Amino acid sequence: MKRQPLVPLALFAALFFATLFVAPQLLAFDFGLDISDDSALTMESDTSVSQVNRARAWINIPMGKDANLQFSGFYEFKGIFEFSPISADITPARLDIDRAEYSGSMQGVYGPSSILRYSVGRFSLSDFSSRVLSGLSDGARADLVLGNLTWYATAGYRGLLYKGDARSSIDVDDAAIDNDDKAYFGPSRAFLGAGVRLTELLPGQDVGAEFWAQLDLAGSGTATHTAYFEPFIEGRVGRSIRWRAYGIGELGMGDSVFAAMAAGGMLRLSIPEVRNLRLTQSVAWASGKTGGLVAFTPIRQLPVGSASTFTFTDIVYASLDASLSIMPGVSGSAGGGALFRASDNQPSGTALREGSDADYLGAELNARASVRLSSDLSAGASAGLFIPETGSAYPEGTPLRFTASITATFTL
Amino acid sequence: MRKTIVLALLFAFVPLVSVLAQEASFSEVNGKVEYQTGADSWKPARPGDRVGKGVVISTGFKSTAVLMIDKSSISIKPLTRMTLEDIVKTEGGTQSQLYLLAGRVKADIPPQPGKTTEFKVKSPTATASVRGTGFEFDGVNLIVEHGTVQLMTATGQTRMVGAGEFSYVARGGVVAPPSAVVIASGLDSVVELVVQSVAESLSTVVVVTPPPFRPTSLVTIGVQ
């Protein structure tokens, strides 16, 4: 059993009970409990089953006219079971803070028609593409809205996040923490971000740019700092077509200075009259070690596909998905994608054939359905298949990778 | 003689610059609908009643009214309070502006050949303007049936919302990017519209906080 630190539990308990003493505000507070179960099956060369059961308590307290306090924390039971050989890795109790955010807005801070929005605490934030940083972070964010111009700045620390949520994979220290069963928190890394967005600079089109920096605060091991510049554009053409595109330039400093790049785009056709049909085409590229660049290393590393294990580094991923509302409360989607490596280096996971110069790694298929049985009860199911290319990339006999999961959520 | 010439010149130019105060009239009234002009007491509205600039109109529970301004119609939904702030007819067309204190209105502004019909709905939070447009607005959420509406917040942030699109003013004074929606049920299903709007976004995270589904603050929309 993994060590369960008391810090998150103590923090959550302290914050939760502290809110209970904000008596004058409690007249308008809202609270609830979400119970969810997520069971998943993965079949590749081995078969494994995992189950995550989570009870999440939340409270939302209005603080005056323009501010809000939100807390949520959860208890989680998690088990991963493998069949050959038979083994089980069970985490019977994980308690952590899900969200602890004080947010609000102030009008007229910088001129009579300006609005300043702010958030402090633990909350979700993301860069434009979600390829650099996404998910929960501890820190602060401010947005200054001046007409069609929005400036924003953020700063935070990711070393108090559970390492599985931090998903940091920048240097060897991150890998060491990830493999350390006694480590609960992610690597000690801070970040800064700033950006600007011009709303409808051109008819129906927003443009902007973001700058992000990641600072390695670990006192030992390799210190790797990274910075990212991310210009973007998004908009719509007519009523039915939405699109977005971004580019990311990364500069880093570890043992030496390095550079990497990434880019991507999405195009969506929406026909709400046909059962809310949405067709989405997307493509994303993250550099590998080639042509003076190194493999792209975001602050938070996420998978690119649905069934394969590739992450957003040294990869090209193109996909097409269709989603629709089958009937009221029931929606479904299906799609597929193709994966390519962006350099001649070995991709993560199963090794390619020796000397293979193939770029095409394989294809993915996926399908999912969700049903909202009532306002308090919803369920979903999904399945994915990765078909490795065994003609010239992977060795013959490389197994398919199949994943399936069912999820149910009940809100009290 | 000089006075006569001046007067003659004035009369000669009057038709070119005439600005006439226009009146609106109730074409339909259902339930409890009242209006107040100046310091007068509230009067029950009846079909055919004519009202002018400055009138405050209020509808009760399950009560509706249709107000005609020239060829434009404004359907006033239940539990609405609005002020007709401006209503002017010029040679170029009609300009109207109303202030929505609470509730919801649905406007149909048909285009008129050779004339410009400008229609604005205002609130402290935003402004929208239309020409040749049909739309429904509750102070926060906007759905456009035909034409194009400019939705503008008090901070000056604007987005053009086209036919068959839905948008809203989020908390913090940001206009959500318009999304294509089925408009058949109008703002009666505003929760579903917001869910659709969020799902339509290409962003994996919600960049604009959804609004309270019913107006808690006032927004101005204008029609161009």
Side-chain angles (χ1 to χ4, degrees):
Chain A
M1 188 183 120
K2 293 171 185 171
R3 185 174 68 90
Q4 179 61 49
L6 291 175
V7 176
L9 173 62
L11 267 174
F12 176 69
L15 292 170
F16 192 86
F17 286 110
T19 60
L20 293 178
F21 292 100
V22 191
Q25 306 293 342
L26 285 181
L27 294 173
F29 80 136
D30 195 9
F31 65 96
L33 181 68
D34 303 336
I35 297 169
S36 64
D37 170 85
D38 186 351
S39 301
L41 167 75
T42 303
M43 294 169 71
E44 199 173 5
S45 50
D46 299 323
T47 300
S48 68
V49 173
S50 70
Q51 188 173 61
V52 180
N53 300 296
R54 180 177 282 201
R56 174 176 173 271
W58 55 270
I59 186 167
N60 187 359
I61 307 166
M63 305 291 286
K65 186 186 163 203
D66 295 318
N68 206 46
L69 192 58
Q70 294 179 75
F71 281 126
S72 62
F74 62 85
Y75 159 82
E76 183 181 276
F77 168 92
K78 182 178 180 181
I80 301 171
F81 310 93
E82 294 190 350
F83 296 98
S84 54
I86 291 176
S87 67
D89 179 5
I90 295 174
T91 308
R94 180 182 158 220
L95 288 143
D96 207 341
I97 298 169
D98 198 36
R99 191 170 185 178
E101 179 182 9
Y102 181 80
S103 61
S105 62
M106 291 184 281
Q107 196 149 3
V109 172
Y110 191 79
S113 62
S114 65
I115 290 185
L116 177 70
R117 293 180 292 160
Y118 57 88
S119 286
V120 181
R122 173 169 290 186
F123 55 93
S124 187
L125 62 78
S126 166
D127 68 302
F128 173 79
S129 63
S130 301
R131 294 297 189 187
V132 174
L133 175 67
S134 60
L136 292 173
S137 282
D138 298 313
R141 175 179 169 122
D143 293 44
L144 181 63
V145 183
L146 298 163
N148 279 11
L149 186 67
T150 303
W151 295 93
Y152 43 96
T154 184
Y157 179 66
R158 297 179 59 79
L160 289 174
L161 295 173
Y162 171 56
K163 63 181 182 181
D165 294 333
R167 285 178 174 268
S168 188
S169 182
I170 293 174
D171 61 24
V172 290
D173 299 335
D174 298 2
I177 289 172
D178 200 36
N179 292 328
D180 182 359
D181 284 347
K182 291 180 181 175
Y184 182 83
F185 295 115
S188 181
R189 296 186 183 277
F191 65 89
L192 298 167
V196 62
R197 173 188 281 256
L198 288 130
T199 302
E200 299 210 349
L201 179 68
L202 303 168
Q205 317 296 318
D206 292 7
V207 298
E210 297 180 347
F211 171 79
W212 293 87
Q214 173 276 136
L215 305 169
D216 190 341
L217 303 181
S220 59
T222 308
T224 309
H225 311 292
T226 51
Y228 311 83
F229 177 66
E230 183 178 2
F232 63 82
I233 182 167
E234 73 173 335
R236 59 193 201 281
V237 180
R239 174 180 178 243
S240 299
I241 296 174
R242 301 282 182 281
W243 73 289
R244 59 164 35 197
Y246 59 89
I248 305 169
E250 177 191 359
L251 265 180
M253 191 175 70
D255 295 331
S256 59
V257 174
F258 57 87
M261 292 183 76
M266 293 174 84
L267 185 66
R268 173 170 289 166
L269 173 68
S270 298
I271 309 174
E273 290 78 10
V274 184
R275 297 186 182 278
N276 269 329
L277 175 67
R278 293 191 185 98
L279 295 172
T280 307
Q281 168 86 64
S282 66
V283 63
W285 163 73
S287 68
K289 190 172 182 181
T290 181
L293 300 174
V294 300
F296 182 71
T297 49
I299 299 172
R300 184 172 189 247
Q301 188 61 271
L302 289 176
V304 287
S306 52
S308 63
T309 57
F310 300 112
T311 54
F312 194 59
T313 183
D314 192 3
I315 199 84
V316 178
Y317 181 60
S319 68
L320 178 65
D321 293 282
S323 70
L324 47 78
S325 298
I326 299 162
M327 61 178 76
V330 181
S331 61
S333 68
L339 292 134
F340 305 82
R341 57 177 173 168
S343 74
D344 294 334
N345 297 295
Q346 282 283 345
S348 58
T350 308
L352 298 182
R353 290 173 187 235
E354 197 170 327
S356 171
D357 59 358
D359 293 329
Y360 177 55
L361 298 172
E364 275 195 347
L365 297 171
N366 64 73
R368 66 183 67 234
S370 64
V371 56
R372 180 165 287 276
L373 299 167
S374 70
S375 60
D376 299 329
L377 182 61
S378 61
S382 66
L385 183 67
F386 173 62
I387 308 158
E389 200 283 315
T390 53
S392 55
Y394 287 99
E396 278 184 35
T398 302
L400 306 178
R401 179 181 166 83
F402 174 74
T403 61
S405 73
I406 52 172
T407 306
T409 304
F410 180 56
T411 302
L412 291 172
Chain B
M1 182 63 185
R2 188 179 292 171
K3 275 185 181 174
T4 309
I5 293 169
V6 170
L7 282 172
L9 284 171
L10 276 174
F11 278 114
F13 280 104
V14 161
L16 297 177
V17 294
S18 63
V19 177
L20 301 174
Q22 176 87 344
E23 284 193 323
S25 63
F26 287 97
S27 63
E28 285 178 34
V29 174
N30 298 300
K32 188 181 179 185
V33 180
E34 296 178 309
Y35 65 90
Q36 184 185 40
T37 307
D40 294 348
S41 58
W42 286 92
K43 293 177 186 170
R46 291 188 179 82
D49 281 0
R50 301 183 75 80
V51 291
K53 181 179 173 181
V55 68
V56 181
I57 300 168
S58 173
T59 57
F61 188 62
K62 289 187 178 176
S63 302
T64 60
V66 176
L67 196 66
M68 297 297 297
I69 303 174
D70 203 4
K71 291 180 179 175
S72 304
S73 71
I74 303 164
S75 299
I76 308 168
K77 303 289 183 179
L79 299 172
T80 295
R81 179 172 285 208
M82 51 165 263
T83 304
L84 197 53
E85 285 198 324
D86 205 3
I87 174 168
V88 170
K89 189 173 186 178
T90 63
E91 294 223 327
T94 308
Q95 294 170 22
S96 333
Q97 179 171 302
L98 62 88
Y99 193 84
L100 189 65
L101 289 161
R104 179 160 41 123
V105 293
K106 183 176 179 180
D108 191 15
I109 319 296
Q112 295 184 48
K115 290 189 174 182
T116 302
T117 305
E118 292 188 11
F119 180 67
K120 284 187 178 179
V121 184
K122 294 186 75 179
S123 85
T125 316
T127 305
S129 329
V130 198
R131 273 185 206 131
T133 300
F135 70 94
E136 194 172 345
F137 181 59
D138 67 1
V140 172
N141 307 286
L142 171 72
I143 191 164
V144 179
E145 288 183 4
H146 55 268
T148 303
V149 177
Q150 183 191 56
L151 182 58
M152 181 170 78
T153 64
T155 63
Q157 184 172 97
T158 58
R159 282 193 189 274
M160 303 303 291
V161 186
E165 292 185 332
F166 166 76
S167 184
Y168 56 87
V169 179
R171 291 192 182 97
V174 175
V175 183
S179 53
V181 294
V182 178
I183 60 172
S185 57
L187 291 180
D188 290 339
S189 55
V190 68
V191 176
E192 284 175 27
L193 290 172
V194 172
V195 170
Q196 274 188 50
S197 177
V198 171
E200 173 126 345
S201 165
L202 289 172
S203 175
T204 52
V205 291
V206 180
V207 271
V208 282
T209 312
F213 297 122
R214 292 289 175 231
T216 56
S217 59
L218 298 171
V219 180
T220 310
I221 62 169
V223 191
Q224 290 178 351

